[in-house]
C-alpha cells in the first residue's frame, strides 16, 4: 500500500537528533572531498533547503564526483554537478519518488489544479507571497514544495525551483486547460492504453526480476500503473478523487490501493467488509450512489469520520463492485465529488446533483478491462513478493567474505534483510536448542534470551510448526499476557506479529522467525521508549497473507542456510579449510542462483557445491577423484553434475534399476572394485574426464542412507593414494591395494554430517526443475507480451508469432485464431493442407465448437477423445478434408476492452511431454500416442490471461486491415 511520508512526522526532539546526526555525517563526507568543506556545505544547503533526501543525494554526487572544486569555485562547481547529475534526469532517478509525487499532484486534477498552478506561478514570478492559509497554499506546503518564513511563503529550495520552473508550469497549465472531456471512443482507447501500460510494466517487472537489481523497483512500477489507473477513473467520470479498494486474501477486509486527502497525501486505509460505503458495497455486491447531503445518510458514518481525520468534505459519492466472471468480489471502485464542467460555476466546484447515469454507464463499460488489470496486478504483486524474498536473501548472502562469518553474524544479517523485506520494525530468529529443549536467540543489548517451547507466540509456533499472524492490536489477543510483560520490561509496544517455523530440507524444525510490528509505508522515526505504551500511527497496521507467502519463500531458503550453519564445523574438519570458506561455499549456491536464474547459472551454482564436498571427501580418504551421484525423487535414476569439456555444468544421469547402481539400491552394500578396466558399467564410466578414464585403477562405491535406511546418494571414489613424501609436492602415488574396509568405516562416520547436505542438494535440484517448469510456462506468455509492446509494423506477422506463443504455452499441436465477420455473421480462418497450401474455412455463428463459443461467450474444453463427443460431426468432416486427426480441443473467446467479441482462439490436440514428430496425414485417421492427452485447468487459466492480451492488440490489427482493404486472406494459422 502507498502512504505519504508526511503522515510520519518526527517529534521535535527526535527530529533535531536525526538532523544533527545526518549533518555530522555529511560534513565528514564533504571534508574528505575538499578542505573548504564548510563553504561547500553552505552551498549544498542553499540548493536543498535542508530537505533530508535531497541533502543526501547532492552529498553523494559531491563525494562520487571525479574532480574537486578549486578554492573560490565551490558554488559554480556544485551548480554544474547538480544540473548534470540530478536536474537534467530527475524523473529517471528511483530515489526521487517524492518529486514525482509533487509532479503528479500538480498536474492530475484538471479543474482544481488550475488554481494550484496559478498560485505557484505567482510565487515563481515574485519569489515570495504573503501567507493567506488558503487551501491551495496549504496543499503546496503539505507537498513540501513551499515553506513558510516569518509571514511569507517561499519555494522550499533551488532544486524544486529549477525543476518546476516557469516553462514547466506554463506547459502544465496549457495541457490542463485545453484537454476536453473524453468521447466514448476516446474513453475506450484510454482503457486499452491502461491495459497496454500494465503489459509494458509487466515486461519491465519481469526484466527487473530476472536481473535482481540491488533495489528491486518492480513493486514501485506496479504502484505507478495502479495510480495511473485510479487517476484515469477519476478523470473519465469527472470526479475530484477516486479510490480502488482491493479485497484481501482473507476476504474479510478491503484496503485502499490509492486514496488521497485534501493535500494529496497517499493514505493507508483498511475497511472491514460491511463497514463504510465501500465495505457495504463489498458485502451486498450492489452499487451505492449518494448524490448530495452525504453526511445525513446513515450508511456514510465512516465517510464523515475519515473526512474529519483527513480534512476533506465529501458532497456526493458513487461506489460499485468489481466482480470476477464467477461473480466473486475482486474490488470496489469509489469516486467522490462530481465536478462541474469547466466554465460552469466556480473552478473545482462540486455538482450538487452528483454523478449522472452517463457516468455510471461509463464506469460499467470499463469494469471488464479494470477487472483484468486488477487481477493481473494482484497476481503480479504476489509474484513480486516472492521475487523480493529471493532477492532479499541474495542480498543477505552477497559478499559474505566481508564479515566475520560466525553463526550469530550470519543469522543477524539474514534477519535484518527479512525485516527490510517485510517492512517490519523488528525481526528475530529463534533457534532450537535440542540439548535444553527450548529456543534461544541473541538480542543486541540484552544478550542471549531463551523461550520455552509452547510458551508465548514463538513457543507456540515451535510446538505446532504452524504459522501465526496476530493483527493490530496484539494486546487484544487472549495470549498477549507474555508479550505485555516483556514490553513492560523493555519499554517497547508490540502491536502486530508474524511468526513462522523454519524447517530443514528433510522437515526437521530448526527455528522460528519472528517479525514484530508491521510499519506503514513511508519514512518514520524509531520507536522511543519515552513514548511507551502509546502506539504510533505507523504501527497501526498488520501483516497479511501476502507477507506470510513471501516469508515462506524466505524461510525455505533460511532453512537450507541453517542446515549448513549447523554442520559447518564438522564440514570444516572434513575439508580442512577455514570456516569462512566453508560457509561462503555453502551459501554461494543461494547467492548465485538468485542473482541469475538462467539454467546455466543454476546448475553452475549447484555444481560448485557438489565439487566442493567431493574434493573434501577426496582429501579425507586420500582419493584421487570423487563423484557424488544423488537419487531422484521418483527413485528411477541417479544424477550428478560435471564439467568434462569446460563447457559449463552438465547433468549426467544413470538408471537406478540397472548394473551396479541397481544392485546398490537394492542391497545398500558398499562395493570395492579393482581392475576397473574389466568392467563395463555406466556407474563406473559416466561423468569422468579423458585423463581419469585412462588412469583409473581402483574404485569404492559407497551408499549414503537416510534415517529410514533408504539410499540418498552413491559416492564414487577412484584411486586410493599413498601419502606424499614430506616436502615433495605431487609425490603422491596410487596405492595398488585400493580402498579398504577402514576407508568405508571413515565414510560411515561422516554419514550423519553428509546426509543433510546431500538432501539440501536434492532440494536445490528439485527447485531448479520447478523454476524450469515455471519458466517454460511463463516464457511464451511474456514473449507474447513483449511482441505486444514492440508495436510491430506488420500486424499479420505479429499475430502469427503471438499464436505460436500460445501453442508453445499449452503444448498444443495446432493453434488457430478465428475472426468475426460481422457482415456475414460468420467466423473465418485459414487451415494448412497436406500439400502445403492454405484453405479458407468459415463457420456460421453457433455451429461447431468454435461457433458455439462465439455465440455464447463461454469456453469449451473437449478432452480426449473428441470423436466421442456428441457434437463432433463438424470436426470429423473438417478432418476428412484436411487428413488431420482432432483428438482434444480448447476454444476460448477473445474480447475487446469494452467486452465486444473479436474472435475465438482454438487449440487442437494437447501433446504429451517430449519430442514427437508432426502428425503424418498418411496414417489418418489413426491416433498417435502423444495425442492421447487433454488440456488441463492450468491451460485454461493461462489462455484466459493470454486472450486478454490478444484482445488488447486485435482491434488495432482489424482497424488496419479494414483501412488497407487487403483482398488477400490474412495468414492467421500456426
Amino acid at each position: 500500500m502507498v502512504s505519504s511520508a508526511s503522515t510520519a512526522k518526527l517529534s521535535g526532539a527526535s527530529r533535531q537528533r536525526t538532523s544533527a546526526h545526518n549533518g555530522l555525517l555529511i560534513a565528514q563526507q564533504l571534508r574528505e572531498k575538499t578542505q573548504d568543506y564548510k563553504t561547500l556545505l553552505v552551498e549544498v544547503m542553499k540548493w536543498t533547503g535542508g530537505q533530508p533526501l535531497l541533502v543526501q543525494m547532492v552529498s553523494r554526487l559531491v563525494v562520487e564526483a571525479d574532480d574537486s572544486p578549486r578554492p573560490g569555485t565551490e558554488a559554480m562547481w556544485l551548480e554544474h554537478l547538480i544540473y548534470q547529475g540530478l536536474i537534467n534526469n530527475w524523473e529517471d532517478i528511483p530515489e526521487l519518488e517524492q518529486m514525482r509525487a509533487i509532479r503528479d499532484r500538480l498536474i492530475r486534477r484538471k479543474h482544481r489544479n488550475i488554481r494550484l498552478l496559478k498560485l505557484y506561478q505567482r510565487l515563481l514570478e515574485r519569489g515570495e507571497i504573503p501567507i493567506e492559509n488558503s487551501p491551495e497554499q496549504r496543499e503546496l506546503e503539505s507537498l513540501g514544495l513551499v515553506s513558510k518564513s516569518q509571514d511569507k511563503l517561499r519555494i522550499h529550495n533551488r532544486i524544486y525551483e529549477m525543476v518546476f520552473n516557469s516553462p514547466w508550469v506554463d506547459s502544465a497549465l496549457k495541457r490542463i486547460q485545453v484537454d476536453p472531456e473524453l468521447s466514448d471512443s476516446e474513453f475506450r482507447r484510454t482503457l486499452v492504453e491502461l491495459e497496454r501500460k500494465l503489459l509494458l510494466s509487466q515486461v519491465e517487472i519481469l526484466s527487473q526480476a530476472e536481473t535482481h537489481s540491488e533495489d528491486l523497483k518492480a513493486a514501485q512500477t506496479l504502484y505507478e500503473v495502479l495510480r495511473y489507473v485510479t487517476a484515469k477513473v477519476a478523470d473519465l467520470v469527472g470526479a475530484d478523487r477516486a479510490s480502488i479498494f482491493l479485497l484481501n486474501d482473507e476476504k474479510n477486509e478491503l484496503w485502499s490501493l490509492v486514496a488521497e486527502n485534501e493535500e494529496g497525501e497517499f493514505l493507508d486505509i483498511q475497511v472491514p467488509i460491511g463497514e463504510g460505503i465501500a465495505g457495504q458495497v463489498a458485502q451486498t455486491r450492489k452499487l451505492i450512489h449518494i448524490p448530495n447531503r452525504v453526511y445525513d445518510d446513515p450508511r456514510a458514518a465512516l465517510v464523515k469520520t475519515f473526512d474529519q481525520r483527513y480534512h476533506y468534505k465529501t458532497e456526493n459519492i458513487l461506489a460499485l463492485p468489481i466482480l470476477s466472471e464467477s461473480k466473486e468480489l475482486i474490488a470496489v471502485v469509489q469516486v467522490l465529488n462530481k465536478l462541474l464542467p469547466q466554465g460552469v460555476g466556480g473552478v473545482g466546484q462540486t455538482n450538487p446533483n452528483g454523478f449522472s447515469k452517463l457516468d455510471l454507464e461509463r464506469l460499467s463499460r470499463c469494469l471488464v478491462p479494470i477487472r483484468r488489470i486488477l487481477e493481473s496486478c494482484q497476481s503480479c504483486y504476489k509474484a513480486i513478493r516472492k521475487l523480493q524474498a529471493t532477492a532479499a536473501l541474495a542480498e543477505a548472502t552477497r559478499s559474505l567474505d566481508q564479515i566475520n562469518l560466525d553463526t550469530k553474524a550470519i543469522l543477524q544479517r539474514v534477519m535484518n534483510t527479512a525485516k527490510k523485506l517485510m517492512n517490519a520494525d523488528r525481526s528475530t530468529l529463534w533457534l532450537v536448542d535440542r540439548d535444553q529443549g527450548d529456543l534461544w536467540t541473541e538480542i543486541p543489548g540484552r544478550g542471549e534470551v531463551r523461550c520455552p517451547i509452547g510458551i508465548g507466540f514463538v513457543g507456540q509456533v515451535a510446538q505446532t510448526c504452524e504459522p501465526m499472524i496476530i493483527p493490530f492490536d496484539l494486546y487484544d489477543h487472549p495470549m498477549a499476557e507474555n508479550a505485555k510483560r516483556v514490553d513492560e520490561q523493555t519499554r517497547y509496544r508490540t502491536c502486530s506479529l508474524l511468526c513462522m517455523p523454519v524447517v530443514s530440507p528433510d522437515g526437521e524444525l530448526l527455528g522460528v522467525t519472528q517479525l514484530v510490528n508491521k510499519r506503514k509505508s513511508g519514512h518514520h522515526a524509531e520507536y522511543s521508549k519515552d513514548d511507551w505504551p502509546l502506539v504510533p500511527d505507523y504501527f497501526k497496521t498488520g501483516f497479511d497473507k501476502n507477507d506470510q507467502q513471501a516469508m515462506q519463500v524466505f524461510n525455505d531458503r533460511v532453512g537450507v542456510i541453517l542446515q549448513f550453519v549447523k554442520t559447518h564445523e564438522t564440514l570444516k574438519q572434513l575439508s580442512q579449510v577455514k570456516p569462512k570458506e566453508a560457509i561462503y561455499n555453502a551459501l554461494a549456491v543461494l547467492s548465485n542462483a538468485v542473482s541469475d536464474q538462467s539454467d546455466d547459472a543454476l546448475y553452475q551454482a549447484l555444481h560448485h557445491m557438489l565439487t566442493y564436498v567431493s574434493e573434501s571427501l577426496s582429501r579425507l580418504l586420500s582419493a584421487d577423484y570423487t563423484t557424488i551421484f544423488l537419487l531422484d525423487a521418483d527413485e528411477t535414476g541417479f544424477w550428478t553434475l560435471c564439467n568434462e569439456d569446460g563447457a559449463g555444468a552438465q547433468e549426467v544421469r544413470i538408471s537406478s534399476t540397472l548394473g551396479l547402481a541397481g544392485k546398490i539400491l537394492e542391497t545398500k552394500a558398499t562395493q570395492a572394485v579393482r581392475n576397473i578396466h574389466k568392467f563395463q558399467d555406466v556407474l563406473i564410466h559416466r561423468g569422468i574426464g579423458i585423463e581419469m578414464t585412462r588412469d583409473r585403477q581402483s574404485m569404492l562405491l559407497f551408499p549414503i542412507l537416510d534415517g529410514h535406511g533408504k539410499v540418498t546418494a552413491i559416492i564414487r571414489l577412484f584411486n586410493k593414494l599413498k601419502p606424499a613424501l614430506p616436502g615433495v609436492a605431487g609425490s603422491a602415488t596410487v596405492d595398488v591395494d585400493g580402498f579398504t574396509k577402514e576407508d568405508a568405516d571413515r565414510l560411515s562416520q561422516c554419514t550423519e554430517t553428509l546426509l543433510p547436505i546431500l538432501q539440501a542438494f536434492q532440494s536445490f535440484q528439485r527447485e531448479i526443475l520447478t523454476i524450469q517448469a515455471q519458466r517454460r510456462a511463463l516464457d511464451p506468455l511474456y514473449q507474447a507480451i513483449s511482441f505486444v509492446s514492440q508495436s510491430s509494423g506488420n500486424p499479420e506477422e505479429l499475430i502469427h508469432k503471438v499464436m505460436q506463443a500460445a501453442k508453445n504455452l499449452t503444448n498444443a499441436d495446432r493453434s488457430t485464431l478465428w475472426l468475426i465477420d460481422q457482415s456475414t455473421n460468420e467466423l473465418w480462418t485459414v487451415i494448412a493442407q497436406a500439400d502445403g497450401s492454405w484453405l479458407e474455412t468459415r463457420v456460421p455463428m453457433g455451429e461447431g465448437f468454435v461457433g458455439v463459443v462465439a455465440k455464447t461467450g463461454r469456453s469449451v474444453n473437449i478432452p480426449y477423445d473428441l470423436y466421442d463427443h456428441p457434437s463432433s460431426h463438424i470436426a470429423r468432416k473438417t478432418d476428412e478434408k484436411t487428413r488431420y486427426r482432432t483428438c482434444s480441443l480448447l476454444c476460448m473467446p477473445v474480447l475487446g476492452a469494452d467486452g465486444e467479441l473479436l474472435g475465438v482462439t482454438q487449440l487442437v490436440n494437447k501433446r504429451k511431454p517430449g519430442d514427437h514428430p508432426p502428425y503424418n496425414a498418411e496414417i489418418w485417421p489413426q491416433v498417435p500416442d502423444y495425442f492421447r492427452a487433454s488440456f488441463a485447468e492450468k491451460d485454461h487459466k493461462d489462455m484466459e490471461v493470454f486472450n486478454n492480451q490478444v484482445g488488447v492488440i486485435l482491434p488495432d490489427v482489424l482497424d488496419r486491415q479494414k483501412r488497407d482493404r487487403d483482398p488477400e486472406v490474412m495468414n492467421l494459422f500456426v
Side-chain angles (χ1 to χ4, degrees):
M1 283 170 274
V2 183
S3 62
S4 171
S6 61
T7 61
K9 297 179 180 177
L10 297 172
S11 65
S14 62
R15 185 165 57 248
Q16 291 175 3
R17 291 194 299 269
T18 303
S19 177
H21 178 68
N22 291 341
L24 290 173
L25 291 176
I26 293 167
Q28 181 178 356
Q29 291 174 336
L30 298 183
R31 184 186 292 115
E32 297 173 357
K33 195 68 177 179
T34 176
Q35 293 182 348
D36 194 6
Y37 70 93
K38 292 183 179 180
T39 299
L40 197 56
L41 181 58
V42 170
E43 293 298 324
V44 169
M45 293 302 170
K46 285 181 181 179
W47 275 96
T48 63
Q51 206 277 347
L53 177 62
L54 293 179
V55 170
Q56 294 176 12
M57 295 202 64
V58 172
S59 300
R60 189 172 68 189
L61 287 175
V62 171
V63 172
E64 295 176 355
D66 295 333
D67 59 345
S68 300
R70 296 191 305 273
T73 66
E74 288 83 4
M76 185 181 302
W77 180 85
L78 184 63
E79 179 178 354
H80 175 77
L81 191 66
I82 290 174
Y83 265 95
Q84 291 297 112
L86 195 153
I87 292 177
N88 290 344
N89 63 335
W90 69 272
E91 291 184 288
D92 299 324
I93 299 175
E95 293 88 345
L96 293 181
E97 174 58 28
Q98 184 177 359
M99 288 179 63
R100 287 190 289 275
I102 293 174
R103 173 203 63 193
D104 294 344
R105 170 57 44 219
L106 289 175
I107 64 176
R108 217 196 89 184
R109 292 180 186 142
K110 296 177 183 176
H111 307 306
R112 191 167 168 210
N113 275 28
I114 293 175
R115 290 185 297 178
L116 194 66
L117 285 168
K118 286 187 175 180
L119 172 64
Y120 179 68
Q121 189 179 50
R122 183 155 57 96
L123 186 55
L124 279 172
E125 294 170 350
R126 300 182 183 182
E128 61 182 24
I129 58 176
I131 294 176
E132 301 170 350
N133 286 324
S134 66
E136 290 76 25
Q137 284 193 0
R138 291 197 302 270
E139 185 162 353
L140 290 177
E141 185 181 1
S142 71
L143 286 172
L145 188 57
V146 302
S147 59
K148 295 178 180 178
S149 179
Q150 297 178 351
D151 59 345
K152 301 291 184 182
L153 202 67
R154 296 184 175 89
I155 298 175
H156 188 276
N157 57 65
R158 288 185 65 189
I159 291 178
Y160 287 170
E161 187 176 358
M162 294 299 103
V163 169
F164 304 110
N165 54 22
S166 293
W168 185 91
V169 174
D170 291 340
S171 175
L173 277 170
K174 182 178 179 181
R175 187 162 62 251
I176 290 176
Q177 290 171 331
V178 303
D179 192 9
E181 186 177 357
L182 291 175
S183 66
D184 282 351
S185 60
E186 291 171 325
F187 175 76
R188 287 192 292 269
R189 282 198 295 271
T190 299
L191 296 178
V192 171
E193 285 304 312
L194 290 180
E195 193 160 13
R196 188 185 297 276
K197 183 177 179 68
L198 177 60
L199 298 184
L200 293 173
S201 298
Q202 285 178 321
V203 174
E204 181 180 351
I205 289 168
L206 181 68
S207 174
Q208 290 172 332
E210 286 177 346
T211 57
H212 292 286
S213 55
E214 188 170 347
D215 291 317
L216 192 62
K217 299 300 180 183
Q220 187 58 46
T221 303
L222 187 60
Y223 284 138
E224 290 292 331
V225 174
L226 296 170
R227 286 171 58 180
Y228 183 79
V229 171
T230 308
K232 278 299 178 184
V233 168
D235 290 344
L236 291 168
V237 297
D240 183 49
R241 68 175 55 177
S243 298
I244 297 179
F245 292 87
L246 291 177
L247 187 66
N248 66 3
D249 285 348
E250 290 83 2
K251 298 185 178 181
N252 60 5
E253 191 176 63
L254 299 169
W255 57 276
S256 66
L257 187 62
V258 180
E260 300 165 89
N261 64 7
E262 180 74 13
E263 287 75 29
E265 299 172 345
F266 292 107
L267 308 176
D268 186 353
I269 299 175
Q270 291 86 31
V271 179
I273 299 296
E275 295 187 15
I277 298 296
Q280 292 174 68
V281 170
Q283 187 176 58
T284 64
R285 301 181 185 179
K286 296 180 180 180
L287 70 87
I288 292 177
H289 179 214
I290 306 176
N292 49 54
R293 302 176 65 89
V294 171
Y295 296 157
D296 295 340
D297 194 303
R299 297 172 295 180
L302 198 59
V303 175
K304 185 176 182 179
T305 301
F306 277 119
D307 283 358
Q308 290 173 345
R309 182 185 305 175
Y310 299 118
H311 312 292
Y312 187 73
K313 184 178 181 181
T314 300
E315 298 183 37
N316 43 57
I317 184 170
L318 173 64
L320 67 163
I322 297 181
L323 305 178
S324 68
E325 289 186 348
S326 58
K327 306 305 179 183
E328 294 293 326
L329 181 74
I330 296 174
V332 173
V333 173
Q334 179 174 285
V335 289
L336 305 180
N337 291 355
K338 172 71 176 181
L339 298 175
L340 288 169
Q342 187 173 349
V344 179
V347 176
Q349 293 298 309
T350 303
N351 190 326
N353 298 319
F355 294 91
S356 66
K357 183 179 179 181
L358 177 61
D359 296 325
L360 180 58
E361 289 175 352
R362 284 189 160 188
L363 276 175
S364 299
R365 284 198 298 270
C366 81
L367 288 184
V368 171
I370 286 181
R371 184 197 73 202
R372 294 202 301 248
I373 290 171
L374 295 182
E375 286 178 329
S376 295
C377 285
Q378 285 180 318
S379 175
C380 195
Y381 178 73
K382 292 178 180 179
I384 287 170
R385 295 293 286 167
K386 291 183 179 181
L387 290 168
Q388 284 177 325
T390 303
L393 193 63
E395 179 182 342
T397 56
R398 191 178 295 121
S399 303
L400 286 171
D401 55 336
Q402 297 177 7
I403 65 173
N404 179 22
L405 288 179
D406 59 44
T407 301
K408 295 177 181 178
I410 293 173
L411 302 184
Q412 185 62 44
R413 181 168 181 176
V414 168
M415 288 313 296
N416 283 341
T417 306
K419 182 172 73 171
K420 177 181 177 182
L421 167 71
M422 306 307 302
N423 201 24
D425 192 62
R426 293 186 177 182
S427 64
T428 309
L429 176 55
W430 297 81
L431 298 179
V432 175
D433 188 330
R434 297 293 177 191
D435 296 332
Q436 298 193 30
D438 61 5
L439 301 161
W440 71 273
T441 191
E442 185 88 8
I443 297 179
R446 294 180 59 192
E448 185 176 289
V449 178
R450 290 188 172 266
C451 173
I453 292 178
I455 303 298
F457 298 118
V458 173
Q460 189 72 23
V461 170
Q463 187 175 61
T464 64
C465 281
E466 294 293 331
M468 180 179 291
I469 298 181
I470 310 296
F472 176 80
D473 184 358
L474 179 139
Y475 277 14
D476 296 334
H477 194 279
M479 291 175 54
E481 292 305 317
N482 188 60
K484 291 179 180 179
R485 286 195 297 269
V486 174
D487 283 1
E488 190 172 1
Q489 296 173 2
T490 60
R491 311 291 288 181
Y492 180 76
R493 180 58 158 85
T494 302
C495 301
S496 60
L497 180 127
L498 172 60
C499 279
M500 297 185 65
V502 179
V503 298
S504 68
D506 58 353
E508 178 190 7
L509 178 70
L510 300 177
V512 175
T513 53
Q514 178 188 33
L515 299 173
V516 176
N517 288 350
K518 178 81 171 182
R519 295 167 66 97
K520 292 183 179 180
S521 300
H523 300 286
H524 309 289
E526 295 297 323
Y527 186 82
S528 173
K529 293 182 178 180
D530 297 335
D531 296 333
W532 187 85
L534 296 177
V535 179
D537 180 69
Y538 53 86
F539 277 2
K540 295 180 179 179
T541 184
F543 301 95
D544 57 22
K545 288 290 185 181
N546 289 327
D547 297 320
Q548 181 179 329
Q549 291 172 0
M551 274 304 293
Q552 186 60 59
V553 176
F554 190 87
N555 279 14
D556 288 344
R557 288 155 176 78
V558 171
V560 178
I561 291 178
L562 286 182
Q563 188 68 65
F564 282 123
V565 170
K566 182 180 176 182
T567 59
H568 85 272
E569 285 296 335
T570 308
L571 188 61
K572 180 188 72 172
Q573 298 172 4
L574 283 177
S575 59
Q576 299 178 359
V577 297
K578 298 178 181 179
K580 181 185 296 186
E581 294 174 1
I583 292 296
Y584 180 80
N585 284 298
L587 298 179
V589 64
L590 297 170
S591 184
N592 290 340
V594 295
S595 63
D596 180 359
Q597 284 197 351
S598 66
D599 290 348
D600 290 343
L602 290 168
Y603 278 112
Q604 194 62 41
L606 188 51
H607 175 252
H608 173 85
M609 280 300 300
L610 276 169
T611 301
Y612 164 69
V613 176
S614 299
E615 291 177 351
S616 299
L617 292 172
S618 291
R619 286 191 290 271
L620 177 69
L621 273 77
S622 299
D624 192 20
Y625 187 80
T626 301
T627 307
I628 299 173
F629 288 91
L630 293 129
L631 188 63
D632 270 338
D634 57 8
E635 300 185 1
T636 60
F638 288 93
W639 61 271
T640 190
L641 298 175
C642 61
N643 188 4
E644 298 179 9
D645 304 321
Q650 301 294 322
E651 189 174 85
V652 174
R653 288 184 170 272
I654 61 174
S655 172
S656 61
T657 60
L658 303 175
L660 288 172
K663 183 178 180 180
I664 292 175
L665 187 62
E666 179 183 359
T667 64
K668 305 176 181 58
T670 301
Q671 300 286 327
V673 181
R674 299 182 189 176
N675 301 319
I676 295 175
H677 62 278
K678 295 183 178 179
F679 293 87
Q680 297 296 324
D681 190 277
V682 290
L683 186 55
I684 298 177
H685 299 286
R686 293 297 303 275
I688 56 176
I690 297 176
E691 292 184 2
M692 182 54 63
T693 301
R694 292 194 303 264
D695 298 337
R696 290 173 300 163
Q697 298 183 32
S698 61
M699 177 183 68
L700 179 65
L701 298 174
F702 184 86
I704 298 292
L705 308 182
D706 64 13
H708 303 289
K710 293 184 177 181
V711 176
T712 297
I714 295 176
I715 299 176
R716 182 185 66 185
L717 302 100
F718 285 129
N719 291 354
K720 175 73 174 180
L721 299 177
K722 292 181 179 180
L725 297 175
V728 181
S731 60
T733 57
V734 176
D735 189 334
V736 295
D737 294 330
F739 294 95
T740 64
K741 183 178 182 300
E742 287 73 18
D743 294 320
D745 291 341
R746 294 189 70 184
L747 274 177
S748 296
Q749 295 171 5
C750 299
T751 297
E752 184 177 355
T753 301
L754 283 172
L755 180 61
I757 298 174
L758 299 183
Q759 288 174 330
F761 292 163
Q762 289 176 316
S763 175
F764 279 128
Q765 193 255 1
R766 287 193 294 269
E767 185 170 343
I768 291 173
L769 295 177
T770 300
I771 290 172
Q772 289 175 332
Q774 292 173 343
R775 186 184 295 118
R776 284 193 296 270
L778 285 174
D779 278 355
L781 182 57
Y782 278 103
Q783 179 185 7
I785 294 174
S786 297
F787 284 139
V788 172
S789 65
Q790 291 169 5
S791 185
S792 170
N794 186 333
E796 293 85 353
E797 179 184 355
L798 178 62
I799 292 183
H800 179 91
K801 290 182 178 179
V802 168
M803 292 309 297
Q804 179 66 49
K807 188 171 72 169
N808 295 340
L809 176 66
T810 59
N811 198 27
D813 190 62
R814 293 187 177 182
S815 63
T816 311
L817 177 60
W818 296 81
L819 296 182
I820 302 295
D821 187 336
Q822 299 290 356
S823 63
T824 63
N825 200 31
E826 292 178 318
L827 295 126
W828 68 272
T829 190
V830 288
I831 295 180
Q833 300 301 289
D835 59 0
S837 63
W838 297 90
L839 174 67
E840 179 179 334
T841 301
R842 287 181 172 266
V843 174
M845 293 283 284
E847 292 190 12
F849 298 118
V850 174
V852 169
V853 170
K855 184 175 182 178
T856 64
R858 292 193 294 268
S859 303
V860 170
N861 186 352
I862 309 298
Y864 175 79
D865 183 2
L866 180 139
Y867 278 13
D868 297 333
H869 195 279
S871 302
S872 63
H873 56 281
I874 293 180
R876 291 171 180 262
K877 291 180 180 179
T878 303
D879 284 0
E880 191 172 357
K881 293 179 182 178
T882 60
R883 312 295 287 180
Y884 180 76
R885 180 58 158 84
T886 302
C887 301
S888 58
L889 179 137
L890 175 61
C891 279
M892 300 181 64
V894 178
L895 304 178
D898 57 359
E900 177 189 6
L901 180 70
L902 302 176
V904 175
T905 52
Q906 178 188 32
L907 299 172
V908 177
N909 288 349
K910 176 77 172 182
R911 295 167 65 95
K912 292 183 179 180
D915 295 323
H916 306 292
Y919 183 81
N920 185 356
E922 295 180 359
I923 70 169
W924 184 86
Q926 296 178 25
V927 179
D929 179 69
Y930 54 86
F931 276 4
R932 299 176 188 271
S934 303
F935 292 98
E937 179 64 24
K938 183 179 184 303
D939 298 317
H940 186 278
K941 290 181 178 179
D942 287 345
M943 282 303 298
E944 186 175 45
V945 176
F946 180 83
N947 279 11
N948 288 341
Q949 322 314 331
V950 176
V952 173
I953 63 166
L954 198 52
D956 292 339
V957 175
L958 298 179
D959 287 346
R960 170 170 176 163
Q961 185 192 37
K962 185 177 180 180
R963 289 194 306 269
D964 294 345
R965 298 182 182 277
D966 188 352
E968 295 184 3
V969 175
M970 183 168 60
N971 177 4
L972 299 175
F973 180 79
V974 178

